[in-house]
Each structure stands twice: as C-alpha cells, then as structure tokens.
Amino acid sequence: MPQADDSKPRLDKWLWAARFFKTRSLAKQAVEGGKVHYNGARTKPSKEPKVGDLLKIRQGLDDLEVEIVAISEQRRGAPEAQRLYRESDTSIKKREAAAAQRKALRGNSPATAGRPTKKQRRDIRHFHDQNH
C-alpha cells in the first residue's frame, strides 16, 4: 500500500483513498473550502501529505483529528483505508460526546409519524375552532 517514490501524492487523493470523501472532487472542494486543516493551517488540494502529519477534517457535524500513518493514492476497502490514519483519543471522545448530545436532543422532541390522518385533522380543526 505504500506510495512509489516517482510520483508525488496529493492531499485530496489521499483523503479520497482514506475514504473520508466519496469522490476526489468532494475531497478537493473540502480542502479548498477550509474544511481540512493540515498541521493546524488551511492548505491546498495539491499539498503533499507526509507520514506523521496531523489533519483536522470537518465532516458534517463532526471534527476529526487524524495523524497520517501511511500514504496511498489507491482507494481500497474500508479496513485497508483505516490503516492509512490514526484518529486521536480526544477526537474520538469529542465525536462520541457530540453524537450522544445530538441523540439526547432528538429524544426530547415529539416524534411524528408523518402527515396527520383524517381523524387527526378533524381533531386539529375542532381544537382550532374552539380556541378562535
């Protein structure tokens, strides 16, 4: 899986190979949009990643902090892609805490089963008419 010495890897290609993004163009857009920080600073998609460098990646609501462990430009299966990086313990804890908080907030909101039934609509209209 290591990279050959004759060609230089690109950060957007590595992010795609490590399965952080579905396509290379999405990886490029994320880097250009400032959602990927390389060693604490914004970077370009053509940046050459090196083993030991730190990346901060924003994916949706989560912030991942990963260290590059290996370089690859080939996209392979998820188990092999996970060998390309190591997520920090603090990043894992923050991500799990944020997920638990989102789940708790979602649990407090009343769950709806979609559109109201005909009977429920009648009840709503009846309630509305009584209060106005």
CSV table of all heavy atoms in Angstrom, one decimal, residues 4-65:
chain,number,residue,atom,x,y,z
A,4,ALA,N,4.8,4.8,-4.3
A,4,ALA,CA,6.0,4.7,-5.1
A,4,ALA,C,6.7,6.1,-5.0
A,4,ALA,O,6.1,7.1,-4.9
A,4,ALA,CB,5.7,4.3,-6.5
A,5,ASP,N,8.0,6.1,-5.1
A,5,ASP,CA,8.8,7.3,-5.0
A,5,ASP,C,8.7,8.2,-6.2
A,5,ASP,O,9.0,9.4,-6.1
A,5,ASP,CB,10.3,7.0,-4.7
A,5,ASP,CG,10.4,6.4,-3.3
A,5,ASP,OD1,9.6,6.7,-2.4
A,5,ASP,OD2,11.4,5.6,-3.1
A,6,ASP,N,8.4,7.7,-7.4
A,6,ASP,CA,8.5,8.5,-8.6
A,6,ASP,C,7.3,9.5,-8.8
A,6,ASP,O,7.5,10.5,-9.4
A,6,ASP,CB,8.5,7.6,-9.8
A,6,ASP,CG,7.3,6.6,-9.9
A,6,ASP,OD1,6.6,6.5,-8.9
A,6,ASP,OD2,7.1,6.0,-11.0
A,7,SER,N,6.2,9.3,-8.2
A,7,SER,CA,5.1,10.3,-8.3
A,7,SER,C,4.8,10.9,-6.9
A,7,SER,O,4.9,10.2,-5.9
A,7,SER,CB,3.8,9.6,-8.9
A,7,SER,OG,3.3,8.7,-7.9
A,8,LYS,N,4.4,12.1,-6.9
A,8,LYS,CA,4.1,12.8,-5.6
A,8,LYS,C,2.6,12.7,-5.3
A,8,LYS,O,1.8,13.0,-6.2
A,8,LYS,CB,4.5,14.3,-5.7
A,8,LYS,CG,6.0,14.5,-5.8
A,8,LYS,CD,6.3,15.9,-5.7
A,8,LYS,CE,7.8,16.1,-5.8
A,8,LYS,NZ,8.2,17.5,-5.6
A,9,PRO,N,2.3,12.2,-4.1
A,9,PRO,CA,0.9,12.1,-3.7
A,9,PRO,C,0.3,13.5,-3.5
A,9,PRO,O,1.0,14.5,-3.2
A,9,PRO,CB,0.9,11.3,-2.5
A,9,PRO,CG,2.2,11.6,-1.9
A,9,PRO,CD,3.2,11.8,-3.0
A,10,ARG,N,-1.0,13.6,-3.6
A,10,ARG,CA,-1.8,14.8,-3.3
A,10,ARG,C,-2.7,14.6,-2.1
A,10,ARG,O,-3.1,13.5,-1.9
A,10,ARG,CB,-2.6,15.2,-4.5
A,10,ARG,CG,-1.8,15.6,-5.8
A,10,ARG,CD,-2.8,15.8,-6.9
A,10,ARG,NE,-3.9,16.7,-6.6
A,10,ARG,CZ,-4.0,17.9,-7.0
A,10,ARG,NH1,-3.1,18.5,-7.8
A,10,ARG,NH2,-5.1,18.7,-6.7
A,11,LEU,N,-2.9,15.7,-1.4
A,11,LEU,CA,-3.7,15.6,-0.2
A,11,LEU,C,-5.2,15.2,-0.5
A,11,LEU,O,-5.8,14.3,0.1
A,11,LEU,CB,-3.8,16.9,0.6
A,11,LEU,CG,-4.6,16.9,1.9
A,11,LEU,CD1,-4.0,15.9,2.9
A,11,LEU,CD2,-4.5,18.3,2.5
A,12,ASP,N,-5.7,15.7,-1.6
A,12,ASP,CA,-7.1,15.4,-2.0
A,12,ASP,C,-7.2,13.9,-2.4
A,12,ASP,O,-8.2,13.2,-2.1
A,12,ASP,CB,-7.7,16.3,-3.1
A,12,ASP,CG,-6.9,16.3,-4.4
A,12,ASP,OD1,-5.7,15.8,-4.4
A,12,ASP,OD2,-7.4,16.8,-5.4
A,13,LYS,N,-6.2,13.4,-3.0
A,13,LYS,CA,-6.2,12.0,-3.4
A,13,LYS,C,-6.1,11.1,-2.2
A,13,LYS,O,-6.7,10.0,-2.1
A,13,LYS,CB,-5.1,11.7,-4.4
A,13,LYS,CG,-5.4,10.7,-5.5
A,13,LYS,CD,-4.3,10.7,-6.5
A,13,LYS,CE,-4.8,9.8,-7.7
A,13,LYS,NZ,-3.8,9.8,-8.7
A,14,TRP,N,-5.2,11.5,-1.2
A,14,TRP,CA,-5.1,10.7,0.0
A,14,TRP,C,-6.4,10.7,0.8
A,14,TRP,O,-6.8,9.6,1.3
A,14,TRP,CB,-3.9,11.3,0.8
A,14,TRP,CG,-3.7,10.4,2.0
A,14,TRP,CD1,-2.9,9.4,2.1
A,14,TRP,CD2,-4.3,10.6,3.3
A,14,TRP,NE1,-2.9,8.8,3.4
A,14,TRP,CE2,-3.8,9.6,4.2
A,14,TRP,CE3,-5.2,11.5,3.9
A,14,TRP,CZ2,-4.2,9.4,5.5
A,14,TRP,CZ3,-5.6,11.3,5.2
A,14,TRP,CH2,-5.1,10.3,6.0
A,15,LEU,N,-7.1,11.8,0.9
A,15,LEU,CA,-8.3,11.9,1.6
A,15,LEU,C,-9.4,11.0,1.0
A,15,LEU,O,-10.2,10.3,1.6
A,15,LEU,CB,-8.9,13.3,1.6
A,15,LEU,CG,-8.1,14.3,2.6
A,15,LEU,CD1,-8.5,15.7,2.2
A,15,LEU,CD2,-8.3,14.0,4.0
A,16,TRP,N,-9.4,10.9,-0.4
A,16,TRP,CA,-10.3,10.1,-1.1
A,16,TRP,C,-9.9,8.6,-0.9
A,16,TRP,O,-10.8,7.7,-0.6
A,16,TRP,CB,-10.2,10.4,-2.6
A,16,TRP,CG,-10.8,9.4,-3.5
A,16,TRP,CD1,-12.2,9.2,-3.7
A,16,TRP,CD2,-10.2,8.5,-4.4
A,16,TRP,NE1,-12.4,8.2,-4.6
A,16,TRP,CE2,-11.2,7.8,-5.0
A,16,TRP,CE3,-8.8,8.2,-4.6
A,16,TRP,CZ2,-10.8,6.8,-6.0
A,16,TRP,CZ3,-8.5,7.2,-5.5
A,16,TRP,CH2,-9.5,6.5,-6.2
A,17,ALA,N,-8.6,8.3,-0.9
A,17,ALA,CA,-8.1,6.9,-0.7
A,17,ALA,C,-8.4,6.4,0.7
A,17,ALA,O,-8.7,5.3,0.9
A,17,ALA,CB,-6.6,6.8,-1.0
A,18,ALA,N,-8.3,7.4,1.7
A,18,ALA,CA,-8.6,7.0,3.1
A,18,ALA,C,-10.1,7.0,3.4
A,18,ALA,O,-10.5,6.8,4.5
A,18,ALA,CB,-7.9,8.0,4.0
A,19,ARG,N,-10.9,7.2,2.4
A,19,ARG,CA,-12.4,7.1,2.5
A,19,ARG,C,-13.0,8.2,3.4
A,19,ARG,O,-14.0,7.9,4.0
A,19,ARG,CB,-12.8,5.7,2.9
A,19,ARG,CG,-12.5,4.7,1.8
A,19,ARG,CD,-13.0,3.3,2.2
A,19,ARG,NE,-13.0,2.5,1.0
A,19,ARG,CZ,-14.0,2.2,0.2
A,19,ARG,NH1,-15.2,2.8,0.5
A,19,ARG,NH2,-13.9,1.5,-0.9
A,20,PHE,N,-12.4,9.3,3.4
A,20,PHE,CA,-13.1,10.4,4.1
A,20,PHE,C,-14.1,11.1,3.2
A,20,PHE,O,-15.1,11.7,3.7
A,20,PHE,CB,-12.1,11.5,4.6
A,20,PHE,CG,-11.2,11.0,5.7
A,20,PHE,CD1,-9.9,10.7,5.5
A,20,PHE,CD2,-11.8,10.9,7.0
A,20,PHE,CE1,-9.1,10.3,6.6
A,20,PHE,CE2,-11.0,10.5,8.1
A,20,PHE,CZ,-9.7,10.2,7.9
A,21,PHE,N,-13.9,11.0,1.9
A,21,PHE,CA,-14.9,11.5,0.9
A,21,PHE,C,-15.2,10.5,-0.1
A,21,PHE,O,-14.3,9.7,-0.5
A,21,PHE,CB,-14.3,12.8,0.3
A,21,PHE,CG,-14.0,13.9,1.4
A,21,PHE,CD1,-12.8,14.1,1.9
A,21,PHE,CD2,-15.1,14.7,1.8
A,21,PHE,CE1,-12.6,15.0,2.9
A,21,PHE,CE2,-14.9,15.6,2.8
A,21,PHE,CZ,-13.6,15.8,3.3
A,22,LYS,N,-16.4,10.6,-0.7
A,22,LYS,CA,-16.8,9.6,-1.7
A,22,LYS,C,-16.1,9.8,-3.0
A,22,LYS,O,-15.8,8.8,-3.7
A,22,LYS,CB,-18.3,9.7,-2.0
A,22,LYS,CG,-19.1,9.0,-0.9
A,22,LYS,CD,-20.5,8.9,-1.3
A,22,LYS,CE,-21.3,8.1,-0.3
A,22,LYS,NZ,-22.7,7.9,-0.8
A,23,THR,N,-15.8,11.0,-3.4
A,23,THR,CA,-15.1,11.3,-4.7
A,23,THR,C,-13.9,12.2,-4.4
A,23,THR,O,-13.9,12.9,-3.4
A,23,THR,CB,-16.1,12.0,-5.7
A,23,THR,OG1,-16.4,13.3,-5.2
A,23,THR,CG2,-17.3,11.2,-6.0
A,24,ARG,N,-13.0,12.2,-5.3
A,24,ARG,CA,-11.9,13.1,-5.2
A,24,ARG,C,-12.3,14.5,-5.4
A,24,ARG,O,-11.7,15.4,-4.7
A,24,ARG,CB,-10.9,12.7,-6.3
A,24,ARG,CG,-9.5,13.3,-6.1
A,24,ARG,CD,-8.5,12.7,-6.9
A,24,ARG,NE,-7.4,13.7,-7.1
A,24,ARG,CZ,-6.6,13.7,-8.1
A,24,ARG,NH1,-6.7,12.8,-9.1
A,24,ARG,NH2,-5.7,14.7,-8.2
A,25,SER,N,-13.3,14.8,-6.2
A,25,SER,CA,-13.7,16.2,-6.3
A,25,SER,C,-14.3,16.7,-5.0
A,25,SER,O,-14.1,17.9,-4.7
A,25,SER,CB,-14.6,16.4,-7.5
A,25,SER,OG,-15.8,15.7,-7.3
A,26,LEU,N,-15.0,15.9,-4.3
A,26,LEU,CA,-15.6,16.3,-3.0
A,26,LEU,C,-14.4,16.6,-2.0
A,26,LEU,O,-14.5,17.5,-1.2
A,26,LEU,CB,-16.5,15.2,-2.4
A,26,LEU,CG,-17.9,15.1,-3.1
A,26,LEU,CD1,-18.6,13.9,-2.5
A,26,LEU,CD2,-18.6,16.4,-2.9
A,27,ALA,N,-13.4,15.8,-2.1
A,27,ALA,CA,-12.2,16.0,-1.2
A,27,ALA,C,-11.5,17.3,-1.6
A,27,ALA,O,-11.2,18.1,-0.7
A,27,ALA,CB,-11.2,14.8,-1.4
A,28,LYS,N,-11.4,17.6,-2.8
A,28,LYS,CA,-10.8,18.8,-3.3
A,28,LYS,C,-11.6,20.0,-2.8
A,28,LYS,O,-11.1,21.0,-2.3
A,28,LYS,CB,-10.7,18.8,-4.8
A,28,LYS,CG,-10.0,20.0,-5.4
A,28,LYS,CD,-9.9,19.9,-6.9
A,28,LYS,CE,-9.4,21.2,-7.4
A,28,LYS,NZ,-9.4,21.3,-8.9
A,29,GLN,N,-13.0,19.9,-3.0
A,29,GLN,CA,-13.8,21.0,-2.5
A,29,GLN,C,-13.7,21.3,-1.0
A,29,GLN,O,-13.7,22.4,-0.6
A,29,GLN,CB,-15.3,20.7,-2.9
A,29,GLN,CG,-15.6,20.8,-4.4
A,29,GLN,CD,-17.0,20.4,-4.7
A,29,GLN,OE1,-17.7,20.0,-3.8
A,29,GLN,NE2,-17.3,20.3,-6.0
A,30,ALA,N,-13.6,20.2,-0.3
A,30,ALA,CA,-13.5,20.3,1.2
A,30,ALA,C,-12.2,21.0,1.6
A,30,ALA,O,-12.2,21.9,2.5
A,30,ALA,CB,-13.6,18.9,1.9
A,31,VAL,N,-11.1,20.6,0.9
A,31,VAL,CA,-9.8,21.3,1.2
A,31,VAL,C,-9.9,22.7,0.8
A,31,VAL,O,-9.4,23.6,1.6
A,31,VAL,CB,-8.7,20.5,0.5
A,31,VAL,CG1,-7.4,21.3,0.7
A,31,VAL,CG2,-8.5,19.1,1.0
A,32,GLU,N,-10.4,23.0,-0.4
A,32,GLU,CA,-10.4,24.4,-0.8
A,32,GLU,C,-11.4,25.2,0.0
A,32,GLU,O,-11.2,26.4,0.2
A,32,GLU,CB,-10.9,24.5,-2.3
A,32,GLU,CG,-9.8,24.0,-3.3
A,32,GLU,CD,-10.3,23.9,-4.7
A,32,GLU,OE1,-11.6,23.9,-4.9
A,32,GLU,OE2,-9.5,23.8,-5.6
A,33,GLY,N,-12.4,24.6,0.6
A,33,GLY,CA,-13.4,25.3,1.4
A,33,GLY,C,-13.0,25.5,2.9
A,33,GLY,O,-13.8,26.0,3.7
A,34,GLY,N,-11.8,25.0,3.2
A,34,GLY,CA,-11.3,25.2,4.6
A,34,GLY,C,-11.8,24.2,5.6
A,34,GLY,O,-11.7,24.4,6.8
A,35,LYS,N,-12.4,23.1,5.1
A,35,LYS,CA,-12.9,22.0,6.0
A,35,LYS,C,-11.8,21.0,6.4
A,35,LYS,O,-12.0,20.2,7.2
A,35,LYS,CB,-14.0,21.3,5.3
A,35,LYS,CG,-15.2,22.3,5.1
A,35,LYS,CD,-16.5,21.5,5.0
A,35,LYS,CE,-17.7,22.4,4.6
A,35,LYS,NZ,-17.8,23.6,5.4
A,36,VAL,N,-10.6,21.2,5.7
A,36,VAL,CA,-9.5,20.3,6.1
A,36,VAL,C,-8.3,21.2,6.4
A,36,VAL,O,-7.9,22.1,5.6
A,36,VAL,CB,-9.1,19.4,4.9
A,36,VAL,CG1,-7.9,18.6,5.2
A,36,VAL,CG2,-10.2,18.5,4.5
A,37,HIS,N,-7.7,21.0,7.6
A,37,HIS,CA,-6.6,21.8,8.0
A,37,HIS,C,-5.4,20.8,8.2
A,37,HIS,O,-5.5,19.8,8.7
A,37,HIS,CB,-6.8,22.5,9.4
A,37,HIS,CG,-7.8,23.6,9.2
A,37,HIS,ND1,-7.4,24.9,9.7
A,37,HIS,CD2,-9.0,23.8,8.7
A,37,HIS,CE1,-8.4,25.7,9.4
A,37,HIS,NE2,-9.4,25.0,8.8
A,38,TYR,N,-4.3,21.2,7.6
A,38,TYR,CA,-3.1,20.4,7.6
A,38,TYR,C,-2.1,21.0,8.5
A,38,TYR,O,-1.6,22.2,8.4
A,38,TYR,CB,-2.5,20.4,6.1
A,38,TYR,CG,-1.3,19.6,5.9
A,38,TYR,CD1,-1.5,18.2,5.6
A,38,TYR,CD2,0.0,20.1,5.9
A,38,TYR,CE1,-0.4,17.4,5.4
A,38,TYR,CE2,1.0,19.3,5.6
A,38,TYR,CZ,0.9,17.9,5.4
A,38,TYR,OH,1.9,17.1,5.1
A,39,ASN,N,-1.7,20.3,9.6
A,39,ASN,CA,-0.8,20.8,10.7
A,39,ASN,C,-1.3,22.1,11.2
A,39,ASN,O,-0.5,23.0,11.4
A,39,ASN,CB,0.6,20.9,10.2
A,39,ASN,CG,1.2,19.5,10.0
A,39,ASN,OD1,0.9,18.5,10.7
A,39,ASN,ND2,2.2,19.4,9.1
A,40,GLY,N,-2.6,22.3,11.4
A,40,GLY,CA,-3.2,23.5,12.0
A,40,GLY,C,-3.4,24.6,11.1
A,40,GLY,O,-3.8,25.7,11.6
A,41,ALA,N,-3.2,24.5,9.8
A,41,ALA,CA,-3.4,25.6,8.9
A,41,ALA,C,-4.2,25.2,7.7
A,41,ALA,O,-4.2,24.0,7.3
A,41,ALA,CB,-2.1,26.2,8.5
A,42,ARG,N,-4.8,26.1,7.0
A,42,ARG,CA,-5.5,25.8,5.7
A,42,ARG,C,-4.5,25.4,4.7
A,42,ARG,O,-3.3,25.8,4.8
A,42,ARG,CB,-6.3,27.0,5.2
A,42,ARG,CG,-7.6,27.2,6.0
A,42,ARG,CD,-8.4,28.3,5.5
A,42,ARG,NE,-9.0,27.9,4.2
A,42,ARG,CZ,-10.0,28.5,3.7
A,42,ARG,NH1,-10.6,29.5,4.3
A,42,ARG,NH2,-10.5,28.1,2.5
A,43,THR,N,-4.9,24.6,3.7
A,43,THR,CA,-3.9,24.1,2.8
A,43,THR,C,-4.6,24.0,1.4
A,43,THR,O,-5.7,24.4,1.2
A,43,THR,CB,-3.4,22.7,3.2
A,43,THR,OG1,-2.4,22.3,2.3
A,43,THR,CG2,-4.5,21.7,3.2
A,44,LYS,N,-3.8,23.6,0.4
A,44,LYS,CA,-4.3,23.4,-0.9
A,44,LYS,C,-4.5,21.9,-1.2
A,44,LYS,O,-3.8,21.1,-0.6
A,44,LYS,CB,-3.3,24.0,-1.9
A,44,LYS,CG,-3.2,25.5,-1.8
A,44,LYS,CD,-2.2,26.0,-2.8
A,44,LYS,CE,-2.2,27.5,-2.8
A,44,LYS,NZ,-1.3,28.1,-3.8
A,45,PRO,N,-5.3,21.5,-2.2
A,45,PRO,CA,-5.5,20.1,-2.5
A,45,PRO,C,-4.2,19.4,-3.0
A,45,PRO,O,-4.1,18.2,-2.9
A,45,PRO,CB,-6.6,20.1,-3.6
A,45,PRO,CG,-7.2,21.4,-3.5
A,45,PRO,CD,-6.2,22.4,-2.9
A,46,SER,N,-3.3,20.2,-3.6
A,46,SER,CA,-2.1,19.6,-4.1
A,46,SER,C,-1.0,19.4,-3.1
A,46,SER,O,0.1,19.0,-3.4
A,46,SER,CB,-1.6,20.5,-5.3
A,46,SER,OG,-1.3,21.8,-4.7
A,47,LYS,N,-1.3,19.8,-1.8
A,47,LYS,CA,-0.3,19.6,-0.8
A,47,LYS,C,0.2,18.1,-0.7
A,47,LYS,O,-0.7,17.2,-0.8
A,47,LYS,CB,-0.9,20.1,0.6
A,47,LYS,CG,0.0,19.9,1.7
A,47,LYS,CD,1.1,21.0,1.7
A,47,LYS,CE,1.9,20.9,3.0
A,47,LYS,NZ,3.1,21.7,2.9
A,48,GLU,N,1.4,17.9,-0.5
A,48,GLU,CA,2.0,16.6,-0.4
A,48,GLU,C,1.9,16.1,1.0
A,48,GLU,O,2.6,16.6,1.9
A,48,GLU,CB,3.4,16.5,-0.9
A,48,GLU,CG,4.0,15.1,-1.0
A,48,GLU,CD,5.4,15.2,-1.6
A,48,GLU,OE1,5.8,16.1,-2.3
A,48,GLU,OE2,6.1,14.2,-1.3
A,49,PRO,N,1.0,15.1,1.3
A,49,PRO,CA,0.9,14.6,2.7
A,49,PRO,C,2.1,13.7,3.1
A,49,PRO,O,2.7,13.0,2.2
A,49,PRO,CB,-0.4,13.8,2.7
A,49,PRO,CG,-0.5,13.3,1.3
A,49,PRO,CD,0.1,14.4,0.4
A,50,LYS,N,2.5,13.8,4.3
A,50,LYS,CA,3.7,13.0,4.8
A,50,LYS,C,3.3,12.3,6.0
A,50,LYS,O,2.4,12.7,6.8
A,50,LYS,CB,4.8,14.0,5.1
A,50,LYS,CG,5.4,14.7,3.9
A,50,LYS,CD,6.6,15.6,4.2
A,50,LYS,CE,7.2,16.2,3.0
A,50,LYS,NZ,6.4,16.9,2.2
A,51,VAL,N,3.9,11.1,6.3
A,51,VAL,CA,3.6,10.3,7.4
A,51,VAL,C,4.0,11.1,8.7
A,51,VAL,O,5.0,11.8,8.7
A,51,VAL,CB,4.4,9.0,7.4
A,51,VAL,CG1,4.3,8.2,8.7
A,51,VAL,CG2,4.0,8.2,6.2
A,52,GLY,N,3.0,11.1,9.6
A,52,GLY,CA,3.2,11.8,10.9
A,52,GLY,C,2.6,13.2,10.9
A,52,GLY,O,2.5,13.8,12.0
A,53,ASP,N,2.1,13.7,9.8
A,53,ASP,CA,1.4,15.0,9.8
A,53,ASP,C,0.0,14.9,10.4
A,53,ASP,O,-0.6,13.8,10.3
A,53,ASP,CB,1.3,15.5,8.4
A,53,ASP,CG,2.7,16.0,7.9
A,53,ASP,OD1,3.5,16.3,8.7
A,53,ASP,OD2,2.9,16.1,6.6
A,54,LEU,N,-0.5,16.0,10.9
A,54,LEU,CA,-1.8,16.0,11.5
A,54,LEU,C,-2.8,16.7,10.6
A,54,LEU,O,-2.6,17.7,10.1
A,54,LEU,CB,-1.8,16.7,12.9
A,54,LEU,CG,-0.8,16.1,13.9
A,54,LEU,CD1,-0.7,16.9,15.1
A,54,LEU,CD2,-1.3,14.7,14.3
A,55,LEU,N,-4.0,16.1,10.5
A,55,LEU,CA,-5.1,16.7,9.8
A,55,LEU,C,-6.3,16.9,10.7
A,55,LEU,O,-6.6,16.1,11.5
A,55,LEU,CB,-5.5,15.8,8.6
A,55,LEU,CG,-4.5,15.5,7.5
A,55,LEU,CD1,-5.1,14.5,6.6
A,55,LEU,CD2,-4.2,16.7,6.8
A,56,LYS,N,-7.0,18.0,10.5
A,56,LYS,CA,-8.3,18.3,11.2
A,56,LYS,C,-9.3,18.3,10.1
A,56,LYS,O,-9.2,19.2,9.2
A,56,LYS,CB,-8.2,19.5,12.0
A,56,LYS,CG,-9.4,19.7,12.9
A,56,LYS,CD,-9.2,20.9,13.8
A,56,LYS,CE,-10.2,20.9,14.9
A,56,LYS,NZ,-10.1,22.0,15.8
A,57,ILE,N,-10.2,17.4,10.1
A,57,ILE,CA,-11.2,17.3,9.0
A,57,ILE,C,-12.6,17.5,9.6
A,57,ILE,O,-13.0,16.8,10.5
A,57,ILE,CB,-11.1,15.8,8.4
A,57,ILE,CG1,-9.7,15.6,7.9
A,57,ILE,CG2,-12.1,15.7,7.2
A,57,ILE,CD1,-9.4,14.1,7.6
A,58,ARG,N,-13.4,18.4,8.9
A,58,ARG,CA,-14.7,18.6,9.3
A,58,ARG,C,-15.6,17.9,8.4
A,58,ARG,O,-15.6,18.1,7.2
A,58,ARG,CB,-15.1,20.1,9.3
A,58,ARG,CG,-16.5,20.4,9.8
A,58,ARG,CD,-16.5,21.9,10.2
A,58,ARG,NE,-17.5,22.4,11.1
A,58,ARG,CZ,-17.9,21.9,12.2
A,58,ARG,NH1,-17.4,20.7,12.6
A,58,ARG,NH2,-18.8,22.5,13.0
A,59,GLN,N,-16.4,16.9,9.0
A,59,GLN,CA,-17.3,16.1,8.2
A,59,GLN,C,-18.7,16.3,8.8
A,59,GLN,O,-19.0,15.7,9.9
A,59,GLN,CB,-16.9,14.6,8.2
A,59,GLN,CG,-15.8,14.3,7.3
A,59,GLN,CD,-15.6,12.8,7.2
A,59,GLN,OE1,-15.6,12.1,8.2
A,59,GLN,NE2,-15.5,12.3,6.0
A,60,GLY,N,-19.6,17.0,8.1
A,60,GLY,CA,-20.9,17.2,8.7
A,60,GLY,C,-20.8,18.0,10.0
A,60,GLY,O,-20.3,19.1,10.1
A,61,LEU,N,-21.3,17.3,11.1
A,61,LEU,CA,-21.3,18.0,12.4
A,61,LEU,C,-20.0,17.6,13.2
A,61,LEU,O,-19.9,18.1,14.3
A,61,LEU,CB,-22.5,17.6,13.1
A,61,LEU,CG,-23.9,18.0,12.5
A,61,LEU,CD1,-25.0,17.4,13.2
A,61,LEU,CD2,-24.0,19.5,12.4
A,62,ASP,N,-19.2,16.7,12.7
A,62,ASP,CA,-18.1,16.1,13.4
A,62,ASP,C,-16.8,16.7,13.0
A,62,ASP,O,-16.6,17.0,11.8
A,62,ASP,CB,-18.0,14.6,13.3
A,62,ASP,CG,-19.2,13.9,13.9
A,62,ASP,OD1,-19.7,14.4,15.0
A,62,ASP,OD2,-19.7,12.9,13.4
A,63,ASP,N,-15.9,16.9,13.9
A,63,ASP,CA,-14.5,17.3,13.6
A,63,ASP,C,-13.6,16.1,14.0
A,63,ASP,O,-13.6,15.6,15.1
A,63,ASP,CB,-14.1,18.5,14.5
A,63,ASP,CG,-14.6,19.8,14.0
A,63,ASP,OD1,-14.7,19.9,12.7
A,63,ASP,OD2,-14.9,20.7,14.8
A,64,LEU,N,-12.8,15.7,13.0
A,64,LEU,CA,-11.9,14.6,13.2
A,64,LEU,C,-10.5,15.1,13.2
A,64,LEU,O,-10.1,15.9,12.4
A,64,LEU,CB,-12.0,13.6,12.0
A,64,LEU,CG,-13.4,13.0,11.7
A,64,LEU,CD1,-13.4,12.3,10.4
A,64,LEU,CD2,-13.7,12.0,12.8
A,65,GLU,N,-9.7,14.6,14.2
A,65,GLU,CA,-8.3,14.9,14.2
A,65,GLU,C,-7.5,13.6,14.0
A,65,GLU,O,-7.6,12.7,14.8
A,65,GLU,CB,-7.9,15.5,15.6
A,65,GLU,CG,-8.6,16.8,15.9
A,65,GLU,CD,-8.4,17.3,17.3
A,65,GLU,OE1,-7.6,16.7,18.0
A,65,GLU,OE2,-9.0,18.3,17.6
